[in-house]
Amino acid sequence: MPYLIAIIVIMAVIIVLFSAREIRRKKQCLDSQRLKEDGYRQQKEILDTIVNNITKDMELIGGTEWDTSIHRMPEQYERMKRASHQSEEGKIKILLYDKELGIAKVQGTDGDMYLVNGLWCSCMDYRERGLPCKHMYLLAMEHPEESIYSDSNYALKGLTFALTGLKQAPIKKYIEEHGGKCANFYWRMTAALIKTSDMETKLISHAEELNVAVLSGEDLLSLFRGGHDG
């Protein structure tokens, strides 16, 4: 009989110890789950703040067609981070900005020059995907309050344009006098297609299909010059 009582006591102690261990394990699991949920919640709140801010910033530079669902995409968030980090490191920067037209000249990481606004960019990342690139996010994040004009004759340096329409000679001369180049249309190299008259051409439709910006000759003449040739 004493042995039976001893066995029962030992079993009771084992059950109590096991139960206590299970309770601790479950509590640890619950605590770990709460920490994960808190972490996810904090990350979501941070992401929501970033997305809401960049959406408002894009609207300030005319990028109204990009809603929060676009900026929330993981690949878009990566481009935002690149824009922020590379800007801080001086690898990409806004050189010129025409507030009236909403167009900037941005220097890329390899020294290439791009025309950028809230709806398009002349870089291949935008043209291939049709979604905001890091240059567009850079412009949105900084959204200059005032125009940044060029005092030199090299405002268009590093940019190559294609022309379509009538009376191209004056526009071509202006481009070359201000450091730019003129060449046949090629979507990888053409910063923008310039309409030198109001006539519609197949080249205009082709450029639009390839996400290449189409600007009027008047826009180009005022670009980065404050509306006049200084």
Side-chain angles (χ1 to χ4, degrees), residues 95-96 147-156 178 223-226 228-230:
L95 300 180
L96 301 170
S147 295
I148 306 171
Y149 292 130
S150 171
D151 294 327
S152 72
N153 287 330
Y154 297 97
L156 304 181
H178 292 81
L223 190 60
F224 309 138
R225 308 297 297 180
H228 65 278
D229 186 11

Side-chain angles (χ1 to χ4, degrees), residues 73-89:
M73 296 165 64
E75 59 267 34
Q76 294 306 117
Y77 184 61
E78 284 301 313
R79 283 164 175 79
M80 289 181 222
K81 289 198 296 185
R82 278 186 234 156
S84 178
H85 294 160
Q86 292 178 6
S87 174
E88 290 177 359
E89 295 170 353

Side-chain angles (χ1 to χ4, degrees), residues 1 41 47 50 61 74 80 103 143 157 160 193 225:
M1 190 67 175
R41 191 178 301 111
L47 180 59
I50 291 173
I61 61 169
M80 289 181 222
I103 299 175
H143 55 267
K157 184 177 180 180
T160 299
L193 177 64
R225 308 297 297 180

Side-chain angles (χ1 to χ4, degrees), residues 20-70:
R21 188 176 67 177
E22 278 298 296
I23 291 171
R24 286 196 301 272
R25 187 184 66 80
K26 289 180 179 179
K27 184 176 183 301
Q28 289 172 349
C29 288
L30 288 172
D31 289 343
S32 176
Q33 183 64 29
R34 287 195 194 98
L35 286 173
K36 287 182 180 179
E37 290 175 356
D38 289 343
Y40 293 147
R41 191 178 301 111
Q42 290 176 359
Q43 289 179 1
K44 183 179 182 302
E45 289 174 354
I46 291 171
L47 180 59
D48 287 343
T49 299
I50 291 173
V51 167
N52 290 333
N53 287 341
I54 200 65
T55 302
K56 293 176 182 177
D57 290 340
M58 288 293 281
E59 289 174 353
L60 289 175
I61 61 169
T64 53
E65 74 175 53
W66 314 114
D67 60 28
T68 55
S69 65
I70 298 295

Side-chain angles (χ1 to χ4, degrees), residues 120-122 126-130 206-213:
W120 48 261
C121 178
S122 60
Y126 167 74
R127 290 183 177 173
E128 290 177 343
R129 300 185 315 120
H206 185 51
E208 291 172 343
E209 290 173 358
L210 295 174
N211 291 322
V212 177

